[in-house]
Amino acid sequence: DTEVTQTPKHLVMGMTNKKSLKCEQHMGHRAMYWYKQKAKKPPELMFVYSYEKLSINESVPSRFSPECPNSSLLNLHLHALQPEDSALYLCASSQGQTYQPQHFGDGTRLSIL
Amino acid sequence: DAKTTQPTSMDCAEGRAANLPCNHSTISGNEYVYWYRQIHSQGPQYIIHGLKNNETNEMASLIITEDRKSSTLILPHATLRDTAVYYCIVRAREGTSYDKVIFGPGTSLSVIP
């Protein structure tokens, strides 16, 4: 069992759909992260939130829109995705200081039709 | 952050020690060595980290050479559940409230019965 919970575990959507991925942690962590992972590749950082403010956007296309409503929740809003966006999307959190290890969820496997 | 190099894949017999090497010859004095692993269909899991002294926890031991140019992660008694991709990451202190981790390709460890 992981302490970072991601929902849904699987998502299939069409290119015109709008959907959201959700991530939740109750460890009091103040930094939260979104990663994208393609098959047989390492995770790639997308966004970092620190104290509920967006700190890093790794040049992610605007069809991905992150949101951090409070310190425990992180959302990733999806709109007009492309087939190449099919991947495992991982959420992570850390205590909010450099060097503190990240805790990962098990991800949402997204398929774009 | 310093670049790391790891073997692409390794095998280890069940019950034997698994020794996973990592080269980080350009590491700076304030950079830590971190290890994560990713079991199939799960998110990455933090294992251990160290600066210059050897470290041990309930999961593994980390041996860092005196010149800090390389390190070895040791799983003392490998089990089938240790089959995973192992990532060696070097992280610099940035004075930030988050941890920007860049994953390399890692080592795919297969534990053989």
Side-chain angles (χ1 to χ4, degrees), chain A residues 5 22 29 37 43 53 68 82-83:
Chain A
T5 304
K22 180 179 174 181
H29 289 175
Q37 186 174 26
K53 295 193 186 309
C68 189
Q82 304 298 309

Side-chain angles (χ1 to χ4, degrees), chain B residues 6 10 17-22 33-37 47-49 55 57 59-64 71-76 86-88 109:
Chain B
Q6 301 177 250
M10 294 180 63
N19 297 284
L20 292 96
C22 179
V33 180
Y34 279 73
W35 285 83
Y36 285 79
R37 74 179 181 183
I47 302 173
I48 198 167
H49 74 278
E55 302 287 344
N57 63 21
M59 290 184 66
S61 294
L62 175 60
I63 308 299
I64 303 174
S71 60
T72 301
L73 179 74
I74 301 173
L75 308 178
Y86 287 77
Y87 299 103
C88 172
L109 175 69

Side-chain angles (χ1 to χ4, degrees), chain A residues 27-40:
Chain A
M27 295 177 283
H29 289 175
R30 302 313 300 268
M32 296 187 77
Y33 312 77
W34 281 115
Y35 291 82
K36 174 182 178 180
Q37 186 174 26
K38 301 285 280 185
K40 300 189 184 302

Side-chain angles (χ1 to χ4, degrees), chain A residues 33 37 50 96 98-99 102 106, chain B residues 30 34 38 93 96-97 99:
Chain A
Y33 312 77
Q37 186 174 26
S50 175
T98 313
Y99 293 115
Q102 295 182 30
D106 286 336
Chain B
N30 67 343
Y34 279 73
Q38 187 173 20
R93 180 181 295 276
T96 60
S97 57
D99 184 47

